[in-house]
């Protein structure tokens, strides 16, 4: 509930560039996370990726469409 409330507050009022870059900077500078790969982070902490992001068929359709729209295929 606390994380949900925080996320609601952040997106309700928007984020400054500094706030928006916080997670990226945290991950880029963290020696504890140097070898962590394949994880999803939001608002400075690891969170579960959405069900849609794990849909391999949807990912392939998106890849194919991207190739078509960019002229790579």
């Amino acid at each position: 509930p606390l994380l949900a409330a925080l996320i609601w507050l952040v997106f309700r009022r928007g984020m400054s560039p500094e706030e928006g870059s916080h997670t990226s900077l945290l991950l880029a500078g963290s020696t504890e996370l140097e070898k962590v790969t394949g994880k999803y982070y939001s608002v400075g902490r690891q969170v579960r990726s959405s069900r849609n992001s794990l849909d391999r068929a949807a990912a392939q359709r998106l890849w194919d469409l991207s190739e078509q729209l960019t002229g790579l295929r």
Side-chain angles (χ1 to χ4, degrees), residues 14-59:
M15 277 193 225
S16 70
E18 291 80 13
E19 291 168 325
S21 66
H22 178 286
T23 299
S24 296
L25 293 172
L26 174 73
L27 296 173
S30 173
T31 57
E32 294 88 24
L33 299 172
E34 281 180 342
K35 297 181 187 224
V36 175
T37 63
K39 302 298 179 186
Y40 182 73
Y41 288 79
S42 180
V43 193
R45 57 179 54 204
Q46 186 178 328
V47 296
R48 181 172 289 190
S49 189
S50 71
R51 186 178 313 173
N52 288 337
S53 73
L54 303 174
D55 184 336
R56 291 185 183 265

Side-chain angles (χ1 to χ4, degrees), residues 54-68:
L54 303 174
D55 184 336
R56 291 185 183 265
Q60 187 62 54
R61 289 191 306 273
L62 178 59
W63 185 267
D64 292 343
L65 179 60
S66 298
E67 284 184 328
Q68 289 174 354

Side-chain angles (χ1 to χ4, degrees), residues 1-6:
L2 179 59
L3 181 58
L6 176 63

